[in-house]
Amino acid sequence: MAHLLHYLLLLLIVTYSCAAQTSFRPKALILPVTKDSSTRQYVTRINQRTPLVPVSLTLDLGGQFMWANCYTNYISSTYRPARCRSAQCSLAKSTACSVECPGAPKPGCNNNTCALMPDNTVTRTATIGDLGSDLVTIQSTDGSNPGRVVSVPKFLFVCGSALDGLASGVVGMAGLGRTSISLPSQFASAFSFHRIFAICLTSSSISPGVVFFGDGPYRFLLNTDASSNLIYTPLIKNPVSTASAYTEGDASSDYFIGVTSIRVGEKVVPLNKTLLTINREGYGGTKISTVTPYTVLQTMIYKAVIKAFGNALSGVPKVAPIAPFGLCFNSTSLGSTRVGPGVPQIDLVLQNSDVYWRIFGANSMVQVRDDVLCLGFVDGGVDPRTSIVIGGHQIEDNLLQFDLARSRLGFSSSLLFRQTTCGNFNFTSNA
Ligand SMILES: *[C@@H]1O[C@H](CO)[C@@H](O)[C@H](O)[C@H]1NC(C)=O
Ligand SMILES: *[C@@H]1O[C@H](CO)[C@@H](O)[C@H](O)[C@H]1NC(C)=O
Ligand SMILES: *[C@@H]1O[C@H](CO)[C@@H](O)[C@H](O)[C@H]1NC(C)=O
Ligand SMILES: *[C@@H]1O[C@H](CO)[C@@H](O)[C@H](O)[C@H]1NC(C)=O
């Protein structure tokens, strides 16, 4: 009986939200993003298929599109393959066509379907998979609370199977990258809002962070609008794809910014500037990544930063480094501030010396043991593809807004200064 009632209620809710939708156009949408403590991945959940099921996906800021395993347990009456040479295939810039799939047709196996290369950017494994579409539903927001659920009937995604290395329960990745079929692009075109989205990653294993699709306000308890007072810097295009596998001529779907120098405690760190620019082969430069737990620096940059940081904290006893970190301190000798351990600030200087991304203790230091704090940067080797990859720990509790139309990044710096965190979005619905 309780079951039946529950079912009827669900049916009512579903019917209600469908009926409401015809006249309702959302201003923005939200996805909750939890932090998986064992992999340090940021995991989101989206409802897909008919009947709807929650699908857990690792958030991939620079990822090209949404991909999910559709080879096992994929049941849906609304799945449709994208036929070769269709408008969907050209939007997705797919040039490959799987002419024939032996056997009975099912999601991931259809004749005459265009293919793309879903990329597990954690293990850097690309496979080949069909492009298809299915129903997706997502919560809208007024910027303060979740609102009505809205649906996108033909949301494009790719079938992928490379799940190794992804957090437990995850069946694919949610790509927010610079393409026409990434989640931000598809949502913006489905509801005709500005091509703007924002991420706010939580540092907490309990309270989820949030992705906003659409413009602000983005309000966090107690009533802080994180979309106000942002600092802006241009987004830079890398003309050469940084995906694990790609077709020649593809541009990168990653978001690059122009770091021009680094300061530690207001002092400029001597660096080889060539590494900070993107060369013709697409090497170098600075990108932001949600699948890299800690910022990765090319060896020469890494050594210079570690040295400068160690010098600036010469009065604090160092302890033997704990991998993957190379510089650790006895935390009992470090004070604490509103924005984390009291350590020198690290500035990523951008288009001019007055525009910088300031990293405070909460984002620079990692508590590895009770009395050990390490500088949370890791050595990326002498010839990495990208010289600086700003990782998850450095962006937690900072709001980053990507404005694709204006090609700029707006960043808030640490929300801890404003006495809030990314885990403070009020997910209690008022609809
Ligand atoms: C593809 O076409 C072949 C030949 O017509 C057919 O035997 C096969 O069952 C089809 N496969 C799918 C998945 O539709
Ligand atoms: C600076 O980096 C570039 C690119 O890796 C390298 O070719 C060059 O030799 C470096 N210059 C110095 C002085 O180390
Ligand atoms: C840190 O310093 C305290 C106080 O001097 C000491 O008791 C502790 O053993 C030190 N910890 C490490 C890891 O060196
Ligand atoms: C969160 O939102 C709900 C619904 O609007 C509201 O009732 C509640 O007071 C809010 N919580 C806080 C802490 O403001």
Side-chain angles (χ1 to χ4, degrees):
M1 185 62 201
H3 256 93
L4 185 68
L5 201 67
H6 185 220
Y7 177 72
L8 283 175
L9 261 172
L10 212 69
L11 204 67
L12 261 171
I13 292 166
V14 170
T15 317
Y16 171 74
S17 62
C18 287
Q21 218 180 285
T22 44
S23 58
F24 177 70
R25 209 183 66 163
K27 260 189 69 241
L29 310 170
I30 42 166
L31 284 178
V33 184
T34 55
K35 184 179 179 180
D36 179 71
S37 45
S38 68
T39 57
R40 300 181 188 283
Q41 287 165 24
Y42 302 92
V43 176
T44 191
R45 229 154 77 132
I46 192 158
N47 291 315
Q48 192 202 31
R49 312 172 199 179
T50 304
L52 284 171
V53 291
V55 173
S56 290
L57 304 166
T58 293
L59 193 75
D60 184 5
L61 176 64
Q64 306 166 79
F65 39 72
M66 166 174 158
W67 67 263
N69 179 7
C70 59
Y71 304 106
T72 47
N73 297 325
Y74 195 105
I75 298 159
S76 178
S77 60
T78 41
Y79 177 86
R80 298 286 179 273
R83 298 304 179 190
C84 296
R85 288 169 297 277
S86 64
Q88 293 177 319
C89 298
S90 50
L91 182 69
K93 296 196 166 64
S94 165
T95 48
C97 179
S98 341
V99 177
E100 198 173 322
C101 185
K106 58 181 181 209
C109 177
N110 280 282
N111 286 343
N112 187 31
T113 302
C114 68
L116 285 167
M117 287 182 281
D119 192 356
N120 177 332
T121 51
V122 173
T123 55
R124 296 202 61 80
T125 314
T127 53
I128 276 247
D130 283 3
L131 178 68
S133 68
D134 209 336
L135 171 74
V136 154
T137 70
I138 182 169
Q139 235 151 358
S140 63
T141 187
D142 58 358
S144 304
N145 290 91
R148 291 180 196 177
V149 171
V150 294
S151 59
V152 182
K154 288 183 180 150
F155 196 90
L156 290 169
F157 76 106
V158 179
C159 285
S161 54
L163 300 176
D164 284 356
L166 300 185
S168 153
V170 161
V171 296
M173 300 185 86
L176 306 181
R178 215 174 181 146
T179 70
S180 344
I181 59 161
S182 65
L183 277 76
S185 298
Q186 289 198 63
F187 287 132
S189 77
F191 299 107
S192 10
F193 49 63
H194 292 302
R195 294 206 307 142
I196 292 179
F197 72 98
I199 62 171
C200 204
L201 301 182
T202 183
S203 56
S204 156
S205 52
I206 304 155
S207 332
V210 57
V211 178
F212 297 94
F213 299 97
D215 208 348
Y218 310 131
R219 289 208 174 85
F220 293 82
L221 298 171
L222 298 156
N223 204 23
T224 301
D225 179 6
S227 71
S228 63
N229 305 317
L230 297 178
I231 302 167
Y232 294 99
T233 195
L235 287 169
I236 294 172
K237 281 187 182 140
N238 184 337
V240 185
S241 174
T242 39
S244 310
Y246 57 93
T247 314
E248 211 175 309
D250 287 354
S252 174
S253 57
D254 272 308
Y255 296 101
F256 283 79
I257 55 171
V259 172
T260 53
S261 74
I262 298 177
R263 293 188 299 234
V264 170
E266 314 268 340
K267 269 202 219 144
V268 174
V269 178
L271 292 180
N272 178 345
K273 295 280 164 80
T274 310
L275 294 165
L276 299 179
T277 58
I278 299 169
N279 74 12
R280 230 178 293 145
E281 287 79 48
Y283 277 70
T286 302
K287 72 170 186 182
I288 307 169
S289 167
T290 56
V291 296
T292 307
Y294 305 103
T295 294
V296 181
L297 303 174
Q298 189 275 350
T299 297
M300 285 195 283
I301 303 176
Y302 174 79
K303 286 188 172 152
V305 168
I306 289 271
K307 188 168 168 217
F309 201 84
N311 289 344
L313 272 181
S314 55
V316 176
K318 294 188 178 59
V319 300
I322 297 169
F325 308 115
L327 180 64
C328 301
F329 300 92
N330 187 327
S331 60
T332 56
S333 308
L334 286 169
S336 86
T337 72
R338 184 188 280 180
V339 284
V343 294
Q345 304 133 10
I346 300 175
D347 292 343
L348 305 177
V349 182
L350 299 161
Q351 60 271 37
N352 64 59
S353 60
D354 299 329
V355 182
Y356 48 86
W357 175 332
R358 180 158 281 184
I359 301 171
F360 296 94
N363 293 109
S364 62
M365 306 305 287
V366 180
Q367 185 92 50
V368 179
R369 287 198 199 132
D370 271 352
D371 52 358
V372 178
L373 272 170
C374 299
L375 180 63
F377 289 71
V378 300
D379 185 348
V382 288
D383 196 22
R385 184 58 200 272
T386 301
S387 303
I388 301 178
V389 181
I390 302 173
H393 186 72
Q394 277 68 39
I395 58 185
E396 285 174 355
D397 295 327
N398 286 244
L399 180 113
L400 305 183
Q401 186 194 53
F402 297 83
D403 183 333
L404 305 178
R406 280 191 268 195
S407 197
R408 66 177 190 178
L409 166 72
F411 57 98
S412 66
S413 192
S414 181
L415 293 179
L416 303 179
F417 268 125
R418 303 200 216 168
Q419 286 168 308
T420 194
T421 68
C422 289
N424 270 342
F425 183 75
N426 186 352
F427 276 104
T428 311
S429 177
N430 61 8

